[in-house]
Amino acid sequence: EKGGYATFMEKEIHDQPHAVADTLLGRTDASGRLVLDELRISEEQLEAVDRITIVACGTAAYAGMVAKYAIEHWTRIPVEVALAHEFRYCDPIVSERTLVVSISQSGETMDTLMAVKHARSLGALTISVCNTHGSTIPRESDAVLYTHAGPEIAVASTKAFLAQITACYVLGLYLAQLRGGSFADDAQSVMKELGEVPAKIETLLGRMDRVKEIARFMADTRAVLFLGRHVGYPIALEGALKLKELAYIHAEGFAAGELKHGPIALIEPGQPVFVIVPSPTAEHGLHGKVVSNIQEIRARGARTLVIAEEGDESVVPFADEVISVPATSQLLAPLLTVVPLQVFALWLSTAKGLDVDQPRNLAKSVTVE
Ligand code: BG6
């Protein structure tokens, strides 16, 4: 059942090309237009949405943070990401024009369920992005958009994360298409590009031997830092969460722009730091700034583990290790850049002799508040 792999997590990491491809399946018509018949909320109601709040916990919340960048860019609707357990206690601003999107692999997370119920009681429209058919959160929501990652057994989420980002992107593009704004025409080309991502993940997975080796030599590491910007920021947070969950070490993700406002004080000789570098061609133009961050921490002795687009030679002089990922557009990059971080956490946990699939103190679905 582990498909020849030693752990479910390793299998699920390798399932990721399918998780993305299957989540895209059947969501466009012959002409390439998005069709989400499954949504059960009228087009009129969706067109009237003036605010989106994403509620989720853990990895699912990081998928939501990634999605915020994309949905705001495509729809110009303000998107807020709330940790589900904070949401109903912070007097949230919700109206009947608010769309509350919950993200949950299990569909049973009590914190997320309570956030959805609270949102509904305030009159919001609720959509559940969920991986488990027949689970509670979709039943308690106005509509559901299923992720098709297949069952995820390992406690630490991997393929569900990629499927959640994919599903949220489909939703964002659908809303853009409905609203007919300037990005409506782009929806089809983004869908086409998303369709090319599974093959790129496959290519990337074929190159993970070095990451496995790096992890093996880091079994004694006591702390790891992760830096990223724009969509790379939530990926830094996710990379850190994976290490906490699986290897029980202090790991922290930062927005690279914050470095000089505090975290750079943590850099001492030998400190491992993963840096997620945006493409040199990314429209936001942040590549050079992140490369400068690598220089800054390297000058203070950090061991720099750099995730960069293949062919990006500019990082080489400042990188102790370069992990190359296939090129894609800036909003789709997280579907690739997170993969080496998952692989790293898997093999670091293995190197420490820990239980990869069932880390201590954690449960796959937390059904208490
Ligand atoms: C946590 C799990 O308890 O719940 C995380 O350890 C997971 O891995 C989070 O991301 C949310 O779970 P779900 O099922 O709501 O996506």
Side-chain angles (χ1 to χ4, degrees):
E1 51 184 357
K2 291 176 190 159
Y5 295 102
T7 59
F8 280 109
M9 185 182 176
E10 189 181 4
K11 173 187 179 287
E12 288 161 8
I13 287 173
H14 284 85
D15 281 346
Q16 293 187 116
H18 288 292
V20 172
D22 292 351
T23 299
L24 290 171
L25 216 63
R27 268 144 187 177
T28 40
D29 65 15
S31 71
R33 275 181 69 79
L34 281 141
V35 277
L36 297 185
D37 299 335
E38 56 194 302
L39 268 194
R40 301 194 316 247
I41 298 180
S42 74
E43 292 195 355
E44 293 69 39
Q45 280 175 305
L46 287 174
E47 274 168 45
V49 165
D50 64 1
R51 178 190 192 97
I52 296 174
T53 301
I54 297 176
V55 292
C57 305
T59 291
Y62 296 144
M65 281 178 73
V66 170
K68 170 187 160 84
Y69 290 88
I71 298 174
E72 287 189 337
H73 181 66
W74 292 327
T75 65
R76 309 314 295 157
I77 304 169
V79 180
E80 178 201 2
V81 184
L83 291 170
H85 36 88
E86 285 294 312
F87 177 74
R88 80 191 166 108
Y89 300 102
C90 68
D91 193 11
I93 300 168
V94 169
S95 77
E96 60 286 354
R97 296 180 67 181
T98 307
L99 177 65
V100 170
V101 180
S102 65
I103 308 176
S104 174
Q105 188 287 129
S106 62
E108 300 296 347
T109 301
M110 185 59 79
D111 287 322
T112 309
L113 174 63
M114 296 311 284
V116 171
K117 285 188 170 176
H118 188 64
R120 275 190 105 177
S121 74
L122 296 173
L125 295 167
T126 54
I127 295 183
S128 152
V129 171
C130 185
N131 198 46
T132 310
H133 282 259
S135 57
T136 310
I137 296 172
R139 277 207 312 272
E140 294 287 338
S141 304
D142 295 309
V144 55
L145 191 61
Y146 280 110
T147 48
H148 297 296
E152 192 180 64
I153 309 295
V155 167
S157 184
T158 54
K159 63 178 180 174
F161 178 68
L162 267 70
Q164 286 159 352
I165 294 173
T166 306
C168 287
Y169 279 20
V170 166
L171 179 63
L173 292 168
Y174 178 73
L175 292 173
Q177 182 184 282
L178 262 189
R179 297 163 82 86
S182 57
F183 288 98
D185 298 338
D186 292 346
Q188 294 185 24
S189 64
V190 180
M191 282 301 285
K192 188 166 166 283
E193 223 190 323
L194 270 168
E196 292 161 7
V197 166
K200 292 179 183 180
I201 300 171
E202 202 71 69
T203 306
L204 182 55
L205 286 169
R207 290 184 196 157
M208 288 293 100
D209 287 353
R210 181 62 191 150
V211 175
K212 182 173 173 178
E213 216 168 76
I214 298 168
R216 282 225 182 108
F217 287 118
M218 285 176 65
D220 304 331
T221 302
R222 302 191 48 196
V224 181
L225 304 179
F226 296 78
L227 298 176
R229 270 191 96 142
H230 195 262
V231 285
Y233 168 42
I235 296 305
L237 297 175
E238 170 62 5
L241 178 61
K242 284 279 129 333
L243 268 200
K244 290 174 201 158
E245 290 179 308
L246 291 158
Y248 317 151
I249 58 180
H250 286 277
E252 247 190 294
F254 299 103
E258 273 297 286
L259 193 62
K260 59 184 175 299
H261 301 293
I264 197 160
L266 291 170
I267 305 296
E268 55 185 38
Q271 171 64 53
V273 185
F274 276 92
V275 186
I276 301 138
V277 182
S279 163
T281 59
E283 293 150 42
H284 53 47
L286 287 169
H287 174 266
K289 291 201 160 68
V290 178
V291 175
S292 300
N293 292 142
I294 306 173
Q295 279 177 267
E296 286 154 13
I297 56 172
R298 187 76 181 308
R300 288 161 179 81
R303 178 151 182 261
T304 53
L305 310 161
V306 176
I307 299 175
E309 186 176 288
E310 57 196 8
D312 180 1
E313 297 294 326
S314 67
V315 298
V316 175
F318 320 112
D320 289 295
E321 299 284 346
V322 179
I323 302 155
S324 293
V325 299
T328 186
S329 62
Q330 65 180 31
L331 289 169
L332 306 195
L335 296 166
L336 299 168
T337 53
V338 75
V339 174
L341 302 181
Q342 300 167 335
V343 171
F344 177 74
L346 160 69
W347 292 111
L348 190 60
S349 171
T350 306
K352 292 181 75 167
L354 302 173
D355 187 337
V356 169
D357 288 334
Q358 293 213 286
R360 69 182 181 201
N361 307 340
L362 298 175
K364 186 65 184 157
S365 90
V366 182
T367 53
V368 291
E369 258 194 285

